[in-house]
Amino acid sequence: MLTRTVVFAALAGIFLPVSLTNAQAVDWRIVAAPDGRVLLAGLPDNTHRNLSEYRLGDAGAGQLGFLVRLTQSGLNGNWASRQGILTRYAQFGVTGPQGPGRTGGEAHHVFTDATGEIDTAADGQRIFLARAGDAAIPDTLTFGLWRWDTVKNTEIVRTKTDSTLGPGLGAGWTYTDASNFVHTRGLPGGGALIHGNARHATAGSTALVTRHVPGQGNVPCVRSDSTDALGPNLGTNDKFMSHWAPWDLTVTASGRVYGIFDITGARSGIWEICHGAPRAIAMENEVGTRGPSVGLADAYFSGLFRPYPATPGTFTFFAIYRIPGVVEGRYGLFRHDGAINRPIVGQGLTDTFGPHWEGSTWRSFQTTSLSTAGRYAAFGGSVLTTSNTEVQGVWRVGDGMAPEPVALIGQSGALAPEPGRTWRSFGANAVLANGDVILEARTDPGNVPAIWLLEHGRAPRRILEQGQSVPVPTTAGVVSATVNSFDLPDEGADFSRGFDGWIGADGHMIIKANISTFGDVVLSSRPSDKLFADGFQP
């Protein structure tokens, strides 16, 4: 990170042309601000807003979501943006459309707590974690997951029950507490991907991945310590181990689910799940189609990293591969093309899978820097030049294309940010479906932080920087404020994996900034909007 305080938001608010210093013209909007002097459609003015848990839906599309804590009774609950207007869809202490939607003897139940665990599906529906019950009877309070369908809330999962709201394993199996539901992901058509642990009074506990299907209930996809259809489906006695994490799961825009899991025998693999029985795609310590297709029949993976979706039915992932007789493993970037795991780049290589810059050789890769969108991927790495000098940079690669550097530290010329300036360090990055790269970076002279847009065939464009003047709509009219600082997470964007964050698949992005007079605000823009070639519309 360049300076670090991560907050997420989405696109909403009033259109604001931004007055720029060195940054090239980009339209930004203020979409969130605690200061009540800043006008936000749908929220009251002139009162401090206790806002938190801002998120931009992984599809983009103006999908703002945030939480207002219980301490602010007039505004408390979960909020979302609809057509640029902020709408509260879950409120503490009420029944009706903003309540938990329970029926019968539970119709009087209300929300009593929320955690900010919210995920946005591409169609704008939200999946969120909350607690509900009769506030006067603590024993009735249970955590669960709800789906907001843009009209009302429907409970889809509940702790302490083996009913249709339970884990789907049968009588006696229940989810025990709210820790089960961290990083739940929304799926198309009102579905949800649920990660957690289920418990049975006599059978013990099991780690579980479940898919919620509207009208059908919760359908288990993967279960630890199981050799049945929910197991690895490899050897007779192979079982999934229980220590996978929710961020090891990847959800594509179409609802396909991939995950990296450990199994008995001390090896890991990448599986497709929730689409029939688990199907292994890439495996450690295995040759053949589930190994690395590097042209050597006895090569195998010895380490695997999380999969990032590419074009439909394919994904990209970093891995460590080994060749018998070679002492050290090599890092590489691979693309599963639906049949085999073919290499894109490889450590120590100069040829087709090399850096494609002045005869240099790959030295290392920053595995957390990977970002994908459609047929493109972007990542950070370092190379050794022919004079044995290490150079760090950011590369872009398209399916069937050679890797190309887009920014190299300390270099002048075409790979510099602009005449008389060089790249100094890199933070967040995101590649879009047209191959454009959004890059957070510092440049010299002056160690200047900025957000840049790197487009095909054009010089880099600085789109946000310190000292930039930002018009702010207030109760007293539009005034000007100066950007003091801004912040993004120091890694590749993971919207392609189904995670809400700072940028969406359609190119909408958000930045948390601190501005003069008003303090923290969230700015949003869409600096790259020409995504037609890969199926996106502006």
Side-chain angles (χ1 to χ4, degrees), residues 359-385:
S360 58
T361 301
W362 288 115
R363 183 181 186 277
S364 65
F365 303 107
Q366 299 163 4
T367 57
T368 59
S369 69
L370 181 59
S371 171
T372 63
R375 58 195 177 101
Y376 285 99
F379 58 91
S382 69
V383 301
L384 287 178
T385 66

Side-chain angles (χ1 to χ4, degrees), residues 401-419:
M401 305 175 190
E404 60 171 330
V406 296
L408 295 179
I409 290 177
Q411 303 299 304
S412 58
L415 293 172
E418 57 193 16

Side-chain angles (χ1 to χ4, degrees), residues 308 368-372 428-431 491-496 502-503:
Y308 283 68
T368 59
S369 69
L370 181 59
S371 171
T372 63
N429 81 80
V431 70
E491 55 190 15
D494 54 6
F495 61 83
S496 69
W502 62 273
I503 188 166

Side-chain angles (χ1 to χ4, degrees), residues 2 51 82 136 162 276 302 307 327 329 377 426 444 477 486 494 520 526:
L2 301 182
L51 312 182
R82 301 190 67 192
D162 60 0
S302 60
V327 175
F426 303 125
D444 285 328
F486 53 83
D494 54 6
D520 291 340
R526 194 183 184 192

Side-chain angles (χ1 to χ4, degrees), residues 211-226:
R211 184 173 193 145
H212 173 74
V213 181
Q216 184 175 346
N218 301 320
V219 181
C221 300
V222 167
R223 179 181 177 183
S224 67
D225 301 318
S226 173

Side-chain angles (χ1 to χ4, degrees), residues 237-493:
N237 297 315
D238 282 332
K239 302 176 183 179
F240 286 118
M241 307 299 286
S242 62
H243 45 267
W244 66 77
W247 43 88
D248 291 330
L249 303 175
T250 290
V251 175
T252 73
S254 65
R256 302 279 288 267
V257 182
Y258 302 97
I260 184 166
F261 301 92
D262 295 335
I263 65 171
T264 48
R267 61 181 182 143
S268 300
I270 297 173
W271 275 259
E272 180 175 11
I273 63 173
C274 301
H275 189 69
R279 178 175 65 92
I281 295 173
M283 291 298 305
E284 291 180 353
N285 303 324
E286 187 174 311
V287 299
T289 57
R290 293 197 288 247
S293 295
V294 294
L296 297 170
D298 52 358
Y300 61 93
F301 290 125
S302 60
L304 294 166
F305 296 81
R306 295 162 187 154
Y308 283 68
T311 52
T314 73
F315 59 81
T316 302
F317 62 103
F318 274 111
I320 304 171
Y321 67 100
R322 289 181 178 270
I323 300 169
V326 178
V327 175
E328 294 184 353
R330 297 179 178 178
Y331 281 80
L333 184 65
F334 291 81
R335 171 72 61 88
H336 176 72
D337 63 6
I340 61 173
N341 302 309
R342 59 179 182 81
I344 300 174
V345 298
Q347 191 176 21
L349 299 180
T350 305
D351 57 9
T352 303
F353 307 112
H356 292 264
W357 179 66
E358 298 185 357
S360 58
T361 301
W362 288 115
R363 183 181 186 277
S364 65
F365 303 107
Q366 299 163 4
T367 57
T368 59
S369 69
L370 181 59
S371 171
T372 63
R375 58 195 177 101
Y376 285 99
F379 58 91
S382 69
V383 301
L384 287 178
T385 66
T386 53
S387 60
N388 208 35
T389 300
E390 182 177 3
V391 177
Q392 296 181 2
V394 175
W395 273 257
R396 168 178 53 212
V397 60
D399 193 20
M401 305 175 190
E404 60 171 330
V406 296
L408 295 179
I409 290 177
Q411 303 299 304
S412 58
L415 293 172
E418 57 193 16
R421 185 162 292 277
T422 59
W423 301 109
R424 178 188 178 100
S425 62
F426 303 125
N429 81 80
V431 70
L432 301 176
N434 62 354
D436 289 353
V437 175
I438 305 291
L439 182 63
E440 181 189 27
R442 287 182 177 269
T443 60
D444 285 328
N447 193 18
V448 178
I451 308 295
W452 296 78
L453 172 62
L454 310 180
E455 300 171 283
H456 277 299
R458 297 184 62 180
R461 288 201 293 148
R462 193 182 333 202
I463 59 176
L464 184 68
E465 65 179 350
Q466 289 182 354
Q468 191 164 313
S469 179
V470 181
V472 183
T474 76
T475 53
V478 177
V479 300
S480 181
T482 301
V483 175
N484 298 321
S485 62
F486 53 83
D487 190 60
L488 287 174
D490 189 14
E491 55 190 15

